[in-house]
Amino acid sequence: MKEFGYSLSPSSRVDLDKVDKSKQNRLFALEPGFKKCMSCGSCSATCSAGNYTDVSLRRAISYIQNGQDQLAVNMLRNCMLCGKCLIICPRGINTRNLIRNILNVYGEKQI
Amino acid sequence: MRERFLFGYDPFVLPFTLGMVFIVLYLLIGSIRIIIALDKQERMLLLKSMNPRQLIITAKDVFVDCLLHIKIFKRNLLLGYMHFSIAFGWFMIILVGHLEVILYTPQRNGVLYYPVFFRYFVMETQQTLRGAFFFFLMDLFLLMILSGIALAIFKRFRSMALGMRRTTKLKLGDRFALYSLWAIFPLRLLAESFTANISGGSFLTKSINHLVHGFVTNPDNALPIWWSYSIALGVFLFSLPFSRYMHIPTEIILIFLRNAGIKATSFRNGYAESEIYSCSRCGICIDACPMGVNRGDIKFSSVYTIRLLRRREDPSEGAEKCLMCNKCVEVCPVGINSTRLKLLYRQSINDSGQHNFSYLSTIKERESYGKVLYYAGCMTHLTPVIYRSLFNILDKAGVDYTFMDKDGSVCCGRPLMLSGDMKGARELIENNKRVIKASGCKTLLLSCPICYKIFKEEYQLDGIEVVHHSVFINKLLKSGQIKIKKGIETYVYHDPCELGRGTGIYEQPRELLSVAGTLKESPEERGESICCGGSLGSLTMPADKRRKITEHSLDILNTNNPDIVATACPLCMRTFSPLNYKSETADIAQIISKNLI
């Protein structure tokens, strides 16, 4: 039974001042292609894992830019690293290296 | 033949003797370290290989690989001769030297330095001419070595003449060993010539003795040259472990271990250590490496990565950039599996299992009892023309098939494995295995060599035949289920790395193409085909460098102006087609489908 009336939804505000920039910079250094992304979504459209889960590299990149890195990591954990996005990317971003490094830099087992 | 000195000793033998003792101890300790690093199973394998039959095979391999250098001869005749003359000549000099000692001065048998400096210690009495035959042999082999050394010096300046575009950059240890190696044999020639009027000699040494007779009337003048000969040997032996020439003794250890069936299980210790020390840094892999197109990437080729491993420095850049195309392994004269070492290195830093594939359990099986199950894999999904053509062929042949991943594929696990994450790859493998087994199929048909390799090697689908589409179509043709008409097109076949070098399928696709049209040759094909540049083996290679590799590979393929560059890999096709301006790019299934009658 849906309750009617007003409620407060949790804030979706992102405070960029609180984002850990050092990790982001490390990621940029490891995969410079990160900044080349134009969010065309080709990678998400072609993604093998995307057939079964909500994994989307395009969204993961914007999560990282917004400092919501745990969302990105949880999403990319489903990636099979098959390389379709690497071949399809019109900007020539080394997507596999990007995904690997996002997991390495932000993941639980940080390398 | 008589001894000149009562004790058979002179201080000049010391540099050589010390060097020899040093290197023998070094090798002994090294071998023990390697054996300790092996695990129990591997040691059992090594023990088992010590039976007479196996030992004969090993001895043959040592002879062919370490002395005759057949593999280098196959690459380039001059280069082969250079290595062969030095290695084989030196071995024969050592052998004949020992024979001389055994025959003429048996009381000195076993003295380390005696065979090396034999001619200093003996004098020829006029009654015997028995030494002449051996002296002739010695001079002959010395001449052979000297010709090899001359070639080696020439190669330093013009390596292209010996078929090598690029050679390895030397380190300090290499330089010491190299220059002393060059010095050893001319000095030996001089030293033996200086004493040839006492000890006797043959066509080389005797003649030089006559030439310089005025200078050596006082036999004491010979001593400095014997000293320098011994010092050159000493310097060589002492610098050996710090140089690339360590491969001379360690290659024998490597062949023993390899013939025992041992494979590297760590990137640095045990078997890997014998591989790393056996690398002669000849640089053949530098020319072979597709990354060499980008000049800055030459430093990432296998030879330098192995050098970093040997010095226990960080090899990560080279190990992660490598395309894993295996060409360096194919051309390596020592047979070092450097790709495996790089893969093991990747595993050691990233066997994290950070991935989460729990969603895979929801994938439903498809019924395919007793039929052919077709698995497209990720890459073929990007090039649907391949599976459409293939289905056309299968329909024509009346083959009953099921499309396993029609609604989207699950990766085979090979790309993840290449990234070093074995745990994640294992999960994918288990899931695919479940789906395939549940389908009850008899044959698993694949159109992607990347999948094909891992399905063959890691899946262990007992009872199910795993077959690549080029082989399958070939079978259909041979059994008469399909007929192909001969077109007017000319083809060049590009061997995909994973299909050719990876699983050894070279002939079947070529047979198909020569039935469908005229097959032209490419300058570098079969085992030496160049990676298309799209390889998933490389983790860090950026797009612009990949593009250069692709262009280079296409240039080579288009040398003989074919109408169509044919390949049997969706990834190669996908990589080639946008950049191939000189001809068309097509998969083998496409070509056959077009030429069906």
Side-chain angles (χ1 to χ4, degrees), chain A residues 46 48-49 51-53 77-82 84 87-88 92 94 96-97 103-104 109 111, chain B residues 349 352 354-357 359 378-379 382 408-409 411 415-416 419 536 539-541 543 571 574:
Chain A
T46 185
S48 287
N51 287 322
Y52 309 101
T53 61
R77 272 161 56 98
N78 295 331
C79 168
M80 299 190 269
L81 230 56
C82 70
K84 270 161 120 179
I87 289 161
I88 220 86
N94 191 346
R96 289 175 80 221
N97 193 35
L103 288 176
N104 286 348
K109 194 180 154 184
I111 298 171
Chain B
I349 56 165
S352 53
Q354 291 192 54
H355 295 269
N356 170 21
F357 298 127
Y359 59 89
C378 306
M379 289 307 152
L382 278 182
S409 61
C411 179
L416 207 57
S419 83
L536 294 177
L539 300 175
T540 52
M541 177 88 65
L571 181 55
R574 176 82 211 194

mmCIF file of all heavy atoms in Angstrom, chain A residues 46 48-49 51-53 77-82 84 87-88 92 94 96-97 103-104 109 111, chain B residues 349 352 354-357 359 378-379 382 408-409 411 415-416 419 536 539-541 543 571 574:
data_model
loop_
_atom_site.group_PDB
_atom_site.id
_atom_site.type_symbol
_atom_site.label_atom_id
_atom_site.label_comp_id
_atom_site.label_asym_id
_atom_site.label_seq_id
_atom_site.Cartn_x
_atom_site.Cartn_y
_atom_site.Cartn_z
ATOM 1 N N THR A 46 27.295 -1.847 -26.065
ATOM 2 C CA THR A 46 27.840 -3.088 -26.583
ATOM 3 C C THR A 46 28.194 -4.093 -25.487
ATOM 4 O O THR A 46 28.512 -5.240 -25.765
ATOM 5 C CB THR A 46 29.097 -2.787 -27.432
ATOM 6 O OG1 THR A 46 29.533 -3.979 -28.018
ATOM 7 C CG2 THR A 46 30.212 -2.235 -26.599
ATOM 8 N N SER A 48 28.892 -6.850 -22.906
ATOM 9 C CA SER A 48 28.407 -8.222 -22.711
ATOM 10 C C SER A 48 27.715 -8.364 -21.369
ATOM 11 O O SER A 48 26.631 -8.922 -21.268
ATOM 12 C CB SER A 48 29.574 -9.200 -22.757
ATOM 13 O OG SER A 48 30.035 -9.354 -24.057
ATOM 14 N N ALA A 49 28.359 -7.856 -20.329
ATOM 15 C CA ALA A 49 27.792 -7.980 -18.989
ATOM 16 C C ALA A 49 26.532 -7.135 -18.871
ATOM 17 O O ALA A 49 25.661 -7.420 -18.056
ATOM 18 C CB ALA A 49 28.821 -7.557 -17.951
ATOM 19 N N ASN A 51 24.107 -7.115 -20.675
ATOM 20 C CA ASN A 51 22.915 -7.897 -20.976
ATOM 21 C C ASN A 51 22.274 -8.465 -19.723
ATOM 22 O O ASN A 51 21.110 -8.821 -19.727
ATOM 23 C CB ASN A 51 23.281 -9.066 -21.895
ATOM 24 C CG ASN A 51 23.568 -8.601 -23.296
ATOM 25 O OD1 ASN A 51 22.900 -7.690 -23.780
ATOM 26 N ND2 ASN A 51 24.553 -9.193 -23.939
ATOM 27 N N TYR A 52 23.064 -8.603 -18.669
ATOM 28 C CA TYR A 52 22.569 -9.300 -17.479
ATOM 29 C C TYR A 52 22.485 -8.387 -16.259
ATOM 30 O O TYR A 52 21.761 -8.673 -15.329
ATOM 31 C CB TYR A 52 23.477 -10.486 -17.154
ATOM 32 C CG TYR A 52 23.710 -11.383 -18.342
ATOM 33 C CD1 TYR A 52 24.883 -11.317 -19.070
ATOM 34 C CD2 TYR A 52 22.716 -12.263 -18.757
ATOM 35 C CE1 TYR A 52 25.077 -12.119 -20.176
ATOM 36 C CE2 TYR A 52 22.896 -13.064 -19.861
ATOM 37 C CZ TYR A 52 24.080 -12.996 -20.571
ATOM 38 O OH TYR A 52 24.265 -13.787 -21.666
ATOM 39 N N THR A 53 23.306 -7.338 -16.253
ATOM 40 C CA THR A 53 23.326 -6.456 -15.087
ATOM 41 C C THR A 53 23.253 -5.003 -15.552
ATOM 42 O O THR A 53 23.128 -4.738 -16.734
ATOM 43 C CB THR A 53 24.634 -6.634 -14.296
ATOM 44 O OG1 THR A 53 25.696 -6.279 -15.158
ATOM 45 C CG2 THR A 53 24.815 -8.036 -13.807
ATOM 46 N N ARG A 77 32.460 -4.223 -10.920
ATOM 47 C CA ARG A 77 32.832 -5.573 -10.469
ATOM 48 C C ARG A 77 32.174 -6.646 -11.336
ATOM 49 O O ARG A 77 32.622 -7.785 -11.382
ATOM 50 C CB ARG A 77 32.447 -5.774 -9.005
ATOM 51 C CG ARG A 77 33.537 -5.335 -8.042
ATOM 52 C CD ARG A 77 32.980 -5.117 -6.672
ATOM 53 N NE ARG A 77 32.307 -6.317 -6.194
ATOM 54 C CZ ARG A 77 32.855 -7.214 -5.375
ATOM 55 N NH1 ARG A 77 34.076 -7.023 -4.963
ATOM 56 N NH2 ARG A 77 32.194 -8.253 -4.974
ATOM 57 N N ASN A 78 31.116 -6.286 -12.026
ATOM 58 C CA ASN A 78 30.440 -7.246 -12.896
ATOM 59 C C ASN A 78 31.101 -7.379 -14.263
ATOM 60 O O ASN A 78 30.721 -8.235 -15.041
ATOM 61 C CB ASN A 78 28.984 -6.817 -13.114
ATOM 62 C CG ASN A 78 28.193 -6.872 -11.826
ATOM 63 O OD1 ASN A 78 28.500 -7.667 -10.949
ATOM 64 N ND2 ASN A 78 27.195 -6.022 -11.702
ATOM 65 N N CYS A 79 32.053 -6.521 -14.545
ATOM 66 C CA CYS A 79 32.670 -6.503 -15.877
ATOM 67 C C CYS A 79 33.483 -7.775 -16.118
ATOM 68 O O CYS A 79 34.191 -8.238 -15.235
ATOM 69 C CB CYS A 79 33.573 -5.288 -16.006
ATOM 70 S SG CYS A 79 34.632 -5.355 -17.442
ATOM 71 N N MET A 80 33.367 -8.316 -17.333
ATOM 72 C CA MET A 80 34.103 -9.532 -17.672
ATOM 73 C C MET A 80 35.390 -9.224 -18.421
ATOM 74 O O MET A 80 36.089 -10.133 -18.852
ATOM 75 C CB MET A 80 33.220 -10.451 -18.510
ATOM 76 C CG MET A 80 31.975 -10.884 -17.783
ATOM 77 S SD MET A 80 31.070 -12.177 -18.643
ATOM 78 C CE MET A 80 29.949 -11.222 -19.631
ATOM 79 N N LEU A 81 35.655 -7.943 -18.625
ATOM 80 C CA LEU A 81 36.888 -7.495 -19.284
ATOM 81 C C LEU A 81 37.039 -8.072 -20.700
ATOM 82 O O LEU A 81 38.144 -8.279 -21.176
ATOM 83 C CB LEU A 81 38.107 -7.890 -18.431
ATOM 84 C CG LEU A 81 39.132 -6.806 -18.127
ATOM 85 C CD1 LEU A 81 38.480 -5.626 -17.459
ATOM 86 C CD2 LEU A 81 40.224 -7.340 -17.220
ATOM 87 N N CYS A 82 35.901 -8.313 -21.356
ATOM 88 C CA CYS A 82 35.952 -9.000 -22.653
ATOM 89 C C CYS A 82 36.532 -8.121 -23.748
ATOM 90 O O CYS A 82 36.978 -8.614 -24.771
ATOM 91 C CB CYS A 82 34.575 -9.486 -23.067
ATOM 92 S SG CYS A 82 33.444 -8.166 -23.527
ATOM 93 N N LYS A 84 35.016 -5.694 -25.632
ATOM 94 C CA LYS A 84 34.169 -5.167 -26.704
ATOM 95 C C LYS A 84 34.166 -3.639 -26.699
ATOM 96 O O LYS A 84 34.236 -2.998 -27.755
ATOM 97 C CB LYS A 84 32.730 -5.656 -26.528
ATOM 98 C CG LYS A 84 32.438 -6.942 -27.220
ATOM 99 C CD LYS A 84 31.204 -7.555 -26.612
ATOM 100 C CE LYS A 84 30.095 -7.753 -27.610
ATOM 101 N NZ LYS A 84 28.923 -8.363 -26.969
ATOM 102 N N ILE A 87 37.127 -2.021 -28.367
ATOM 103 C CA ILE A 87 37.133 -2.004 -29.825
ATOM 104 C C ILE A 87 36.132 -0.989 -30.353
ATOM 105 O O ILE A 87 36.364 -0.336 -31.361
ATOM 106 C CB ILE A 87 36.835 -3.421 -30.331
ATOM 107 C CG1 ILE A 87 38.046 -4.295 -30.046
ATOM 108 C CG2 ILE A 87 36.510 -3.425 -31.799
ATOM 109 C CD1 ILE A 87 37.747 -5.728 -30.072
ATOM 110 N N ILE A 88 35.047 -0.824 -29.643
ATOM 111 C CA ILE A 88 33.977 0.017 -30.146
ATOM 112 C C ILE A 88 34.213 1.502 -29.852
ATOM 113 O O ILE A 88 33.743 2.365 -30.578
ATOM 114 C CB ILE A 88 32.634 -0.475 -29.541
ATOM 115 C CG1 ILE A 88 31.547 -0.415 -30.590
ATOM 116 C CG2 ILE A 88 32.240 0.309 -28.316
ATOM 117 C CD1 ILE A 88 31.476 -1.639 -31.441
ATOM 118 N N GLY A 92 38.886 6.011 -28.729
ATOM 119 C CA GLY A 92 40.107 5.228 -28.558
ATOM 120 C C GLY A 92 40.594 5.174 -27.122
ATOM 121 O O GLY A 92 41.791 5.178 -26.865
ATOM 122 N N ASN A 94 41.449 3.315 -23.782
ATOM 123 C CA ASN A 94 41.767 1.944 -23.398
ATOM 124 C C ASN A 94 40.866 1.561 -22.234
ATOM 125 O O ASN A 94 41.244 1.622 -21.072
ATOM 126 C CB ASN A 94 43.235 1.843 -23.017
ATOM 127 C CG ASN A 94 43.682 0.410 -22.858
ATOM 128 O OD1 ASN A 94 42.857 -0.497 -22.775
ATOM 129 N ND2 ASN A 94 44.975 0.201 -22.816
ATOM 130 N N ARG A 96 39.626 -1.202 -21.101
ATOM 131 C CA ARG A 96 39.940 -2.312 -20.193
ATOM 132 C C ARG A 96 40.922 -1.848 -19.124
ATOM 133 O O ARG A 96 40.785 -2.184 -17.954
ATOM 134 C CB ARG A 96 40.548 -3.477 -20.964
ATOM 135 C CG ARG A 96 39.564 -4.197 -21.843
ATOM 136 C CD ARG A 96 40.261 -5.240 -22.644
ATOM 137 N NE ARG A 96 40.526 -6.450 -21.897
ATOM 138 C CZ ARG A 96 41.642 -7.146 -21.977
ATOM 139 N NH1 ARG A 96 42.612 -6.730 -22.747
ATOM 140 N NH2 ARG A 96 41.802 -8.243 -21.291
ATOM 141 N N ASN A 97 41.890 -1.063 -19.564
ATOM 142 C CA ASN A 97 42.857 -0.560 -18.595
ATOM 143 C C ASN A 97 42.167 0.369 -17.601
ATOM 144 O O ASN A 97 42.475 0.368 -16.404
ATOM 145 C CB ASN A 97 43.967 0.180 -19.333
ATOM 146 C CG ASN A 97 45.151 0.465 -18.464
ATOM 147 O OD1 ASN A 97 45.474 -0.340 -17.601
ATOM 148 N ND2 ASN A 97 45.777 1.618 -18.671
ATOM 149 N N LEU A 103 39.089 -0.392 -10.530
ATOM 150 C CA LEU A 103 38.971 -1.430 -9.504
ATOM 151 C C LEU A 103 40.200 -1.442 -8.605
ATOM 152 O O LEU A 103 40.102 -1.649 -7.396
ATOM 153 C CB LEU A 103 38.785 -2.803 -10.154
ATOM 154 C CG LEU A 103 37.417 -3.044 -10.797
ATOM 155 C CD1 LEU A 103 37.382 -4.393 -11.483
ATOM 156 C CD2 LEU A 103 36.308 -2.961 -9.765
ATOM 157 N N ASN A 104 41.358 -1.221 -9.194
ATOM 158 C CA ASN A 104 42.586 -1.254 -8.398
ATOM 159 C C ASN A 104 42.707 -0.042 -7.478
ATOM 160 O O ASN A 104 43.140 -0.157 -6.335
ATOM 161 C CB ASN A 104 43.812 -1.310 -9.308
ATOM 162 C CG ASN A 104 43.990 -2.677 -9.924
ATOM 163 O OD1 ASN A 104 43.324 -3.622 -9.502
ATOM 164 N ND2 ASN A 104 44.844 -2.781 -10.906
ATOM 165 N N LYS A 109 40.497 -4.256 -2.483
ATOM 166 C CA LYS A 109 41.882 -4.678 -2.436
ATOM 167 C C LYS A 109 42.679 -3.688 -3.273
ATOM 168 O O LYS A 109 42.819 -3.820 -4.472
ATOM 169 C CB LYS A 109 41.987 -6.080 -3.031
ATOM 170 C CG LYS A 109 43.286 -6.757 -2.739
ATOM 171 C CD LYS A 109 43.277 -8.126 -3.366
ATOM 172 C CE LYS A 109 44.693 -8.565 -3.653
ATOM 173 N NZ LYS A 109 44.733 -9.838 -4.344
ATOM 174 N N ILE A 111 45.509 -1.753 -4.991
ATOM 175 C CA ILE A 111 46.883 -2.066 -5.425
ATOM 176 C C ILE A 111 47.633 -0.766 -5.696
ATOM 177 O O ILE A 111 47.122 0.086 -6.399
ATOM 178 C CB ILE A 111 46.858 -2.949 -6.684
ATOM 179 C CG1 ILE A 111 46.170 -4.273 -6.361
ATOM 180 C CG2 ILE A 111 48.264 -3.219 -7.174
ATOM 181 C CD1 ILE A 111 45.896 -5.110 -7.580
ATOM 182 N N ILE B 349 50.514 -9.995 -9.546
ATOM 183 C CA ILE B 349 50.098 -8.710 -9.002
ATOM 184 C C ILE B 349 48.594 -8.516 -9.074
ATOM 185 O O ILE B 349 48.053 -7.609 -8.477
ATOM 186 C CB ILE B 349 50.812 -7.513 -9.694
ATOM 187 C CG1 ILE B 349 50.572 -7.552 -11.197
ATOM 188 C CG2 ILE B 349 52.278 -7.454 -9.377
ATOM 189 C CD1 ILE B 349 50.920 -6.246 -11.863
ATOM 190 N N SER B 352 43.267 -10.972 -8.133
ATOM 191 C CA SER B 352 42.516 -10.417 -7.014
ATOM 192 C C SER B 352 41.139 -11.020 -6.858
ATOM 193 O O SER B 352 40.615 -11.103 -5.763
ATOM 194 C CB SER B 352 42.385 -8.919 -7.221
ATOM 195 O OG SER B 352 41.850 -8.695 -8.507
ATOM 196 N N GLN B 354 38.546 -9.528 -7.862
ATOM 197 C CA GLN B 354 37.722 -8.385 -7.464
ATOM 198 C C GLN B 354 36.385 -8.415 -8.155
ATOM 199 O O GLN B 354 35.494 -7.664 -7.834
ATOM 200 C CB GLN B 354 38.418 -7.093 -7.864
ATOM 201 C CG GLN B 354 39.658 -6.824 -7.081
ATOM 202 C CD GLN B 354 40.118 -5.410 -7.318
ATOM 203 O OE1 GLN B 354 39.364 -4.473 -7.150
ATOM 204 N NE2 GLN B 354 41.348 -5.247 -7.699
ATOM 205 N N HIS B 355 36.297 -9.277 -9.151
ATOM 206 C CA HIS B 355 35.074 -9.273 -9.944
ATOM 207 C C HIS B 355 33.986 -10.090 -9.263
ATOM 208 O O HIS B 355 34.246 -10.944 -8.440
ATOM 209 C CB HIS B 355 35.376 -9.819 -11.337
ATOM 210 C CG HIS B 355 36.303 -8.938 -12.102
ATOM 211 N ND1 HIS B 355 35.877 -7.947 -12.920
ATOM 212 C CD2 HIS B 355 37.652 -8.879 -12.126
ATOM 213 C CE1 HIS B 355 36.912 -7.319 -13.444
ATOM 214 N NE2 HIS B 355 38.009 -7.870 -12.971
ATOM 215 N N ASN B 356 32.760 -9.778 -9.646
ATOM 216 C CA ASN B 356 31.617 -10.440 -9.039
ATOM 217 C C ASN B 356 30.710 -10.923 -10.161
ATOM 218 O O ASN B 356 30.091 -10.133 -10.848
ATOM 219 C CB ASN B 356 30.889 -9.425 -8.135
ATOM 220 C CG ASN B 356 29.567 -9.953 -7.674
ATOM 221 O OD1 ASN B 356 29.341 -11.160 -7.688
ATOM 222 N ND2 ASN B 356 28.688 -9.056 -7.267
ATOM 223 N N PHE B 357 30.679 -12.235 -10.328
ATOM 224 C CA PHE B 357 29.922 -12.772 -11.457
ATOM 225 C C PHE B 357 28.727 -13.588 -10.999
ATOM 226 O O PHE B 357 28.317 -14.534 -11.655
ATOM 227 C CB PHE B 357 30.826 -13.631 -12.345
ATOM 228 C CG PHE B 357 31.955 -12.858 -12.960
ATOM 229 C CD1 PHE B 357 33.263 -13.274 -12.828
ATOM 230 C CD2 PHE B 357 31.694 -11.703 -13.670
ATOM 231 C CE1 PHE B 357 34.292 -12.554 -13.397
ATOM 232 C CE2 PHE B 357 32.723 -10.980 -14.242
ATOM 233 C CZ PHE B 357 34.024 -11.406 -14.102
ATOM 234 N N TYR B 359 25.760 -12.958 -11.045
ATOM 235 C CA TYR B 359 24.594 -12.858 -11.936
ATOM 236 C C TYR B 359 24.568 -13.939 -13.008
ATOM 237 O O TYR B 359 23.550 -14.186 -13.627
ATOM 238 C CB TYR B 359 24.548 -11.482 -12.602
ATOM 239 C CG TYR B 359 25.758 -11.121 -13.438
ATOM 240 C CD1 TYR B 359 25.820 -11.446 -14.781
ATOM 241 C CD2 TYR B 359 26.844 -10.447 -12.872
ATOM 242 C CE1 TYR B 359 26.927 -11.115 -15.545
ATOM 243 C CE2 TYR B 359 27.953 -10.118 -13.628
ATOM 244 C CZ TYR B 359 27.999 -10.447 -14.963
ATOM 245 O OH TYR B 359 29.093 -10.126 -15.719
ATOM 246 N N CYS B 378 32.089 -12.903 -27.411
ATOM 247 C CA CYS B 378 31.878 -11.451 -27.469
ATOM 248 C C CYS B 378 32.241 -10.878 -28.828
ATOM 249 O O CYS B 378 31.503 -10.097 -29.405
ATOM 250 C CB CYS B 378 32.724 -10.783 -26.416
ATOM 251 S SG CYS B 378 32.472 -11.443 -24.780
ATOM 252 N N MET B 379 33.428 -11.280 -29.337
ATOM 253 C CA MET B 379 33.937 -10.622 -30.535
ATOM 254 C C MET B 379 33.076 -10.908 -31.753
ATOM 255 O O MET B 379 32.881 -10.050 -32.601
ATOM 256 C CB MET B 379 35.380 -11.070 -30.788
ATOM 257 C CG MET B 379 36.341 -10.504 -29.790
ATOM 258 S SD MET B 379 36.188 -8.733 -29.704
ATOM 259 C CE MET B 379 36.710 -8.428 -28.039
ATOM 260 N N LEU B 382 30.253 -8.692 -32.196
ATOM 261 C CA LEU B 382 30.538 -7.377 -32.790
ATOM 262 C C LEU B 382 30.607 -7.455 -34.309
ATOM 263 O O LEU B 382 30.538 -6.433 -34.982
ATOM 264 C CB LEU B 382 31.894 -6.861 -32.273
ATOM 265 C CG LEU B 382 31.909 -6.180 -30.918
ATOM 266 C CD1 LEU B 382 33.315 -5.694 -30.622
ATOM 267 C CD2 LEU B 382 30.950 -5.019 -30.878
ATOM 268 N N GLY B 408 22.948 -12.627 -26.282
ATOM 269 C CA GLY B 408 24.059 -11.942 -25.616
ATOM 270 C C GLY B 408 25.000 -12.952 -25.009
ATOM 271 O O GLY B 408 24.582 -13.964 -24.446
ATOM 272 N N SER B 409 26.284 -12.656 -25.134
ATOM 273 C CA SER B 409 27.257 -13.681 -24.758
ATOM 274 C C SER B 409 27.770 -13.481 -23.344
ATOM 275 O O SER B 409 27.683 -12.397 -22.778
ATOM 276 C CB SER B 409 28.431 -13.607 -25.725
ATOM 277 O OG SER B 409 29.014 -12.342 -25.630
ATOM 278 N N CYS B 411 31.451 -13.913 -21.604
ATOM 279 C CA CYS B 411 32.838 -14.008 -22.059
ATOM 280 C C CYS B 411 33.413 -15.385 -21.734
ATOM 281 O O CYS B 411 33.051 -16.005 -20.740
ATOM 282 C CB CYS B 411 33.654 -12.917 -21.378
ATOM 283 S SG CYS B 411 35.371 -12.940 -21.820
ATOM 284 N N PRO B 415 40.140 -13.220 -21.922
ATOM 285 C CA PRO B 415 40.617 -11.846 -21.676
ATOM 286 C C PRO B 415 40.902 -11.592 -20.203
ATOM 287 O O PRO B 415 41.890 -10.938 -19.860
ATOM 288 C CB PRO B 415 39.460 -10.966 -22.157
ATOM 289 C CG PRO B 415 38.716 -11.797 -23.126
ATOM 290 C CD PRO B 415 38.830 -13.202 -22.625
ATOM 291 N N LEU B 416 40.063 -12.143 -19.347
ATOM 292 C CA LEU B 416 40.274 -11.950 -17.912
ATOM 293 C C LEU B 416 41.530 -12.695 -17.462
ATOM 294 O O LEU B 416 42.307 -12.199 -16.652
ATOM 295 C CB LEU B 416 39.043 -12.468 -17.152
ATOM 296 C CG LEU B 416 38.762 -11.826 -15.809
ATOM 297 C CD1 LEU B 416 38.595 -10.339 -15.955
ATOM 298 C CD2 LEU B 416 37.527 -12.426 -15.174
ATOM 299 N N SER B 419 44.521 -10.842 -18.279
ATOM 300 C CA SER B 419 44.770 -9.699 -17.403
ATOM 301 C C SER B 419 45.363 -10.159 -16.080
ATOM 302 O O SER B 419 45.738 -9.341 -15.245
ATOM 303 C CB SER B 419 43.476 -8.934 -17.155
ATOM 304 O OG SER B 419 42.741 -9.561 -16.123
ATOM 305 N N LEU B 536 43.767 -8.606 -27.182
ATOM 306 C CA LEU B 536 43.310 -8.324 -25.825
ATOM 307 C C LEU B 536 44.392 -8.655 -24.809
ATOM 308 O O LEU B 536 44.208 -8.461 -23.618
ATOM 309 C CB LEU B 536 42.056 -9.143 -25.524
ATOM 310 C CG LEU B 536 40.839 -8.761 -26.370
ATOM 311 C CD1 LEU B 536 39.682 -9.674 -26.064
ATOM 312 C CD2 LEU B 536 40.441 -7.321 -26.097
ATOM 313 N N LEU B 539 47.378 -4.861 -21.942
ATOM 314 C CA LEU B 539 46.492 -4.177 -21.010
ATOM 315 C C LEU B 539 46.618 -2.669 -21.132
ATOM 316 O O LEU B 539 45.660 -1.941 -20.932
ATOM 317 C CB LEU B 539 46.820 -4.603 -19.575
ATOM 318 C CG LEU B 539 46.681 -6.096 -19.302
ATOM 319 C CD1 LEU B 539 47.153 -6.413 -17.895
ATOM 320 C CD2 LEU B 539 45.251 -6.545 -19.478
ATOM 321 N N THR B 540 47.819 -2.182 -21.442
ATOM 322 C CA THR B 540 48.017 -0.734 -21.369
ATOM 323 C C THR B 540 48.306 -0.075 -22.708
ATOM 324 O O THR B 540 48.540 1.126 -22.747
ATOM 325 C CB THR B 540 49.185 -0.418 -20.411
ATOM 326 O OG1 THR B 540 50.307 -1.194 -20.810
ATOM 327 C CG2 THR B 540 48.839 -0.760 -18.990
ATOM 328 N N MET B 541 48.304 -0.840 -23.789
ATOM 329 C CA MET B 541 48.634 -0.243 -25.086
ATOM 330 C C MET B 541 47.563 0.762 -25.517
ATOM 331 O O MET B 541 46.399 0.418 -25.645
ATOM 332 C CB MET B 541 48.730 -1.363 -26.121
ATOM 333 C CG MET B 541 48.988 -0.897 -27.512
ATOM 334 S SD MET B 541 50.719 -0.726 -27.889
ATOM 335 C CE MET B 541 51.295 -2.387 -27.785
ATOM 336 N N ALA B 543 45.424 3.504 -27.983
ATOM 337 C CA ALA B 543 44.825 3.272 -29.297
ATOM 338 C C ALA B 543 45.732 3.706 -30.440
ATOM 339 O O ALA B 543 45.793 3.038 -31.470
ATOM 340 C CB ALA B 543 43.493 3.988 -29.379
ATOM 341 N N LEU B 571 38.185 -10.625 -34.124
ATOM 342 C CA LEU B 571 38.914 -9.470 -33.610
ATOM 343 C C LEU B 571 39.873 -8.924 -34.658
ATOM 344 O O LEU B 571 39.959 -7.706 -34.872
ATOM 345 C CB LEU B 571 39.654 -9.852 -32.327
ATOM 346 C CG LEU B 571 40.446 -8.748 -31.650
ATOM 347 C CD1 LEU B 571 39.585 -7.536 -31.363
ATOM 348 C CD2 LEU B 571 41.064 -9.246 -30.360
ATOM 349 N N ARG B 574 37.828 -7.178 -37.315
ATOM 350 C CA ARG B 574 37.307 -5.914 -36.807
ATOM 351 C C ARG B 574 38.420 -4.855 -36.751
ATOM 352 O O ARG B 574 38.193 -3.680 -36.980
ATOM 353 C CB ARG B 574 36.730 -6.186 -35.413
ATOM 354 C CG ARG B 574 36.213 -5.030 -34.664
ATOM 355 C CD ARG B 574 34.820 -4.675 -35.078
ATOM 356 N NE ARG B 574 34.677 -3.249 -34.901
ATOM 357 C CZ ARG B 574 33.551 -2.598 -34.907
ATOM 358 N NH1 ARG B 574 32.430 -3.224 -35.119
ATOM 359 N NH2 ARG B 574 33.517 -1.310 -34.714
#
